[in-house]
């Protein structure tokens, strides 16, 4: 485990160090150290708003599968997950924390895992479809004119595979539920079939997923504005799914380094100075840390006796 954490840390440091080496460091410091503080405070507020919307989506998923958690419990547990994800990125994941804390409210681990995996699936569906926006906006400034067609084909294929998987959910669940590691996924697949039959609930959940991306793009756009960089909002909205997908790769600490590299690579194609793209990415990441820390403080102050901080650290399984 320590070796994996060391390797992730090394990847993050190498990527960020490489970016620092290839930019004008004095110009980067000038942009990163002189942002508009009111606008950065607004970014932190936008991130907290994302947490609220994410908790609402997760609550709808939970209620749709018959899990008895209140909106306040759902929100608190999500805040705890986000906090531990930022505080201990090498050993705990937000999803693991959420699964364990939901189980502390009397739900079997398999059902708890099902609700979190469904939440992730809803987010992935929205990211894949948002990549269509990415293909249109990024392709306008990309050197390869075929990028838009390729992106649409990739996204379309992924959506077809996802639809086939949902339509065969019960059959796949029957195949894997007898295996130890397949039980949580079998429960998720069955829950997904129940959920997607409720069309109105599915529409709201997917709508909230899209809203999350729009709000996230707004936060990043405000970060750019805080360092006096003009950038088209649609370009930010289009680039964000690529950045999010990149940070999901388990090769760095909290996505640091990967996020910065993608931000620089994408926005430099629009004519933006690499120092400005890098500064915006760093400030965005720091804003998320501040928002997650505030959320963690709220969780600590409001947690019941069954949700002790020491128990979370000592009992949760380690993330590979």
């Amino acid at each position: 485990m320590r070796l994996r954490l060391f390797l992730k840390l090394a990847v993050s440091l190498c990527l960020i160090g490489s970016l620092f080496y290839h930019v004008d460091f004095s110009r980067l410091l000038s942009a990163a150290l002189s942002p508009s503080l009111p606008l950065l405070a607004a970014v932190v507020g936008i991130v907290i708003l994302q947490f609220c919307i994410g908790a609402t989506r997760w609550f709808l998923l939970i209620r749709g599968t018959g899990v008895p958690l209140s909106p306040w419990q759902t929100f608190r547990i999500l805040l705890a997950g986000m906090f531990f994800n930022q505080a201990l990125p090498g050993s705990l994941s937000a999803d693991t924390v959420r699964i364990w804390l939901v189980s502390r409210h009397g739900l079997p681990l398999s059902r708890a895992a099902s609700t979190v995996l469904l939440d992730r699936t809803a987010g992935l569906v929205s990211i894949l479809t948002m990549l269509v926006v990415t293909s249109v906006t990024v392709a306008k400034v990309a050197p390869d004119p075929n990028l838009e067609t390729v992106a649409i084909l990739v996204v379309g294929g992924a959506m077809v595979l996802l639809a086939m998987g949902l339509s065969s959910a019960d059959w796949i669940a029957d195949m894997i539920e007898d295996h130890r590691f397949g039980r949580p996924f079998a429960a998720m697949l069955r829950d997904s079939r129940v959920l997607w039959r409720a069309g109105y609930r599915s529409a709201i959940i997917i709508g909230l997923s899209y809203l999350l991306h729009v709000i996230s793009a707004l936060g990043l756009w405000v970060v750019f504005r805080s360092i006096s960089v003009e950038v088209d909002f649609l370009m930010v909205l289009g680039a964000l799914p690529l950045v999010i997908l990149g940070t999901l790769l388990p090769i760095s600490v909290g996505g640091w380094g990967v996020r910065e590299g993608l931000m620089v690579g994408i926005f430099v194609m629009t004519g933006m100075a690499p120092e400005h793209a890098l500064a915006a990415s760093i400030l965005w990441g720091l804003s998320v840390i501040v928002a997650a820390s505030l959320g963690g403080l709220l969780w600590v102050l409001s947690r019941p006796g069954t949700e002790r901080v020491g128990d979370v650290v000592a009992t949760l399984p380690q993330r590979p």
Side-chain angles (χ1 to χ4, degrees):
M1 176 54 63
R2 290 182 179 179
L3 177 60
R4 290 173 181 170
L5 175 57
F6 175 78
L7 291 175
K8 289 182 178 182
L9 182 61
V11 169
S12 290
L13 291 176
C14 288
L15 289 174
I16 294 176
S18 176
L19 290 170
F20 281 178
Y21 179 78
H22 288 94
V23 300
D24 185 330
F25 194 68
S26 62
R27 190 177 181 185
L28 171 64
L29 284 179
S30 177
L33 297 179
S34 58
S36 167
L37 294 182
L39 286 180
L40 279 186
V43 174
V44 173
I46 290 172
V47 175
I48 293 174
L49 176 60
Q50 286 181 259
F51 294 165
C52 295
I53 297 172
T56 301
R57 181 182 71 183
W58 189 29
F59 172 72
L60 290 174
L61 283 163
I62 285 173
R63 278 301 175 92
T65 56
V67 176
L69 277 184
S70 69
W72 174 240
Q73 288 172 324
T74 305
F75 180 58
R76 286 179 46 265
I77 291 174
L78 184 137
L79 290 180
M82 297 306 300
F83 169 70
F84 279 101
N85 195 55
Q86 295 297 323
L88 299 170
S91 58
L92 302 176
S93 73
D95 292 344
T96 307
V97 172
R98 285 198 286 166
I99 291 169
W100 189 80
L101 289 177
V102 169
S103 72
R104 298 295 289 175
H105 289 268
L107 196 70
L109 278 174
S110 61
R111 293 299 307 282
S114 173
T115 66
V116 174
L117 289 171
L118 273 176
D119 189 44
R120 282 299 188 186
T121 301
L124 182 60
V125 169
S126 61
I127 289 176
L128 289 174
T129 52
M130 284 292 291
L131 281 173
V132 176
V133 177
T134 296
S135 67
V136 174
T137 56
V138 177
K140 291 180 180 178
V141 296
D144 187 352
N146 296 318
L147 176 62
E148 180 177 347
T149 301
V150 172
I152 290 176
L153 288 174
V154 171
V155 173
M159 293 300 294
V160 169
L161 290 175
L162 181 62
M164 291 173 61
L166 288 175
S167 64
S168 307
D170 290 332
W171 176 69
I172 297 174
D174 289 337
M175 290 180 58
I176 65 176
E177 68 178 347
D178 290 333
H179 299 278
R180 177 185 174 188
F181 296 106
R183 288 170 193 163
F185 295 99
M188 184 203 74
L189 288 169
R190 289 207 167 90
D191 284 342
S192 70
R193 294 289 291 151
V194 173
L195 178 67
W196 301 128
R197 290 191 187 109
Y200 74 94
R201 192 184 297 271
S202 302
I204 294 174
I205 289 169
I206 296 299
L208 288 174
S209 299
Y210 288 134
L211 180 60
L212 273 172
H213 291 300
V214 173
I215 296 295
S216 183
L218 175 63
L220 180 54
W221 182 80
V222 174
V223 171
F224 279 119
R225 296 295 301 150
S226 74
I227 58 175
S228 303
V229 174
E230 296 286 344
V231 61
D232 187 79
F233 176 75
L234 286 179
M235 183 63 204
V236 177
L237 183 64
L240 198 57
L242 289 174
V243 176
I244 293 174
L245 285 176
T247 56
L248 291 178
L249 296 173
I251 61 174
S252 64
V253 175
W256 284 92
V258 176
R259 177 182 59 237
E260 284 66 40
L262 288 170
M263 288 272 290
V264 171
I266 293 172
F267 286 102
V268 162
M269 291 191 297
T270 70
M272 183 184 296
E275 296 83 4
H276 289 159
L278 182 55
S281 181
I282 292 172
L283 291 172
W284 187 31
L286 292 176
S287 298
V288 173
I289 290 177
V290 172
S293 298
L294 292 174
L297 178 61
L298 177 61
W299 172 71
V300 168
L301 294 176
S302 63
R303 73 192 188 284
T306 56
E307 297 179 9
R308 292 186 294 270
V309 178
D311 287 345
V312 174
V313 177
T315 308
L316 281 171
Q318 299 291 300
R319 184 171 66 184

